[in-house]
Amino acid sequence: MAIVVFIGLTVYDFVQEQMAKVKHAAYPLKYMSIVEKYADEYNIDKYLILSFIKTESGFDPSAKSNADAIGLTQITEETFAWIKLKMCPDEELVFEDLYDAETSIRFGAYYISRCMERYNNHVDTAAAAYHSGWGTVDKLLAESGEEYLTEFPYTQMNNYVYKINKAYTAYTQLYNQTEGE
């Protein structure tokens, strides 16, 4: 009987270890030095930035969406111009510079921080705004009379907020527990 229990525990440990490897592969810590730099600079959670990158581009710096958003953080040309005007108007940057990982993460982290600031650090509402724009979210908030969005009437917005939350939960559960060890 002791041998069966030992084998059972060994198999269980092996399976748990393999599952952890799969989860870590699904939620990688890519570009961490850049992510941590801008998380500190803009006072936002590094795991939140990683969640946006995973959701937006799957960590592909050459990603381009159907809406012509580009880079790791999938920023459109209009949003790029606005961020550049607010953050670094004197820098010689062009839209295509978002294919550079550092530039994309820098701009994306800035925009995430602005969304979080605008919506009082409410991740769901900030994520909806990052995806659909402040105008759309402000209109939905005005119509609902609420301070935060708790329902997302558009399928794409709803799916996006779900994916951000899923990634953010996974990142915090996978890596917060190991940081203190």
Side-chain angles (χ1 to χ4, degrees), residues 108-128:
Y110 175 84
Y111 191 48
I112 295 164
S113 74
R114 294 296 303 264
C115 290
M116 291 292 284
E117 181 181 299
R118 184 177 181 96
Y119 300 106
N120 299 313
N121 293 315
H122 191 260
V123 172
D124 290 358
T125 307

Side-chain angles (χ1 to χ4, degrees), residues 41 44 69 73 85 103 138 146 179:
E41 185 169 329
I44 53 176
T73 55
L85 181 67
T103 303
D138 288 350
E146 299 294 326
E179 284 186 356

Side-chain angles (χ1 to χ4, degrees), residues 9 23 50 53 59 63-64 69 98-99 103-104 120 131 162 168 172:
L9 291 174
K23 286 181 183 176
L50 288 167
I53 295 170
F59 293 94
K64 183 174 183 176
L98 290 173
Y99 286 121
T103 303
S104 186
N120 299 313
H131 178 264
Y162 171 79
Y168 191 44
T172 55

Side-chain angles (χ1 to χ4, degrees), residues 3-140:
I3 292 175
V4 170
V5 170
F6 174 75
I7 292 172
L9 291 174
T10 302
V11 168
Y12 177 80
D13 287 343
F14 176 77
V15 169
Q16 291 297 101
E17 186 178 306
Q18 296 309 308
M19 287 175 56
K21 286 180 181 178
V22 168
K23 286 181 183 176
H24 283 87
Y27 297 94
L29 297 176
K30 292 185 176 183
Y31 306 103
M32 278 311 288
S33 62
I34 301 169
V35 167
E36 287 173 336
K37 175 182 176 180
Y38 293 111
D40 289 343
E41 185 169 329
Y42 299 120
N43 196 31
I44 53 176
D45 188 336
K46 62 188 173 190
Y47 299 125
L48 188 58
I49 296 171
L50 288 167
S51 299
F52 276 85
I53 295 170
K54 177 174 176 43
T55 301
E56 288 289 347
S57 67
F59 293 94
D60 177 4
S62 63
K64 183 174 183 176
S65 74
N66 293 338
D68 292 325
I70 64 172
L72 289 169
T73 55
Q74 292 291 281
I75 294 174
T76 63
E77 194 160 6
E78 179 182 353
T79 302
F80 168 81
W82 179 84
I83 294 170
K84 184 179 181 301
L85 181 67
K86 296 292 185 184
M87 188 176 66
C88 54
D90 299 328
E91 289 185 32
E92 296 289 328
L93 292 170
V94 296
F95 179 59
E96 289 73 21
D97 288 330
L98 290 173
Y99 286 121
D100 169 69
E102 178 144 4
T103 303
S104 186
I105 293 169
R106 177 184 175 205
F107 275 62
Y110 175 84
Y111 191 48
I112 295 164
S113 74
R114 294 296 303 264
C115 290
M116 291 292 284
E117 181 181 299
R118 184 177 181 96
Y119 300 106
N120 299 313
N121 293 315
H122 191 260
V123 172
D124 290 358
T125 307
Y130 190 99
H131 178 264
S132 300
W134 291 359
T136 300
V137 169
D138 288 350
K139 181 179 178 221
L140 291 171

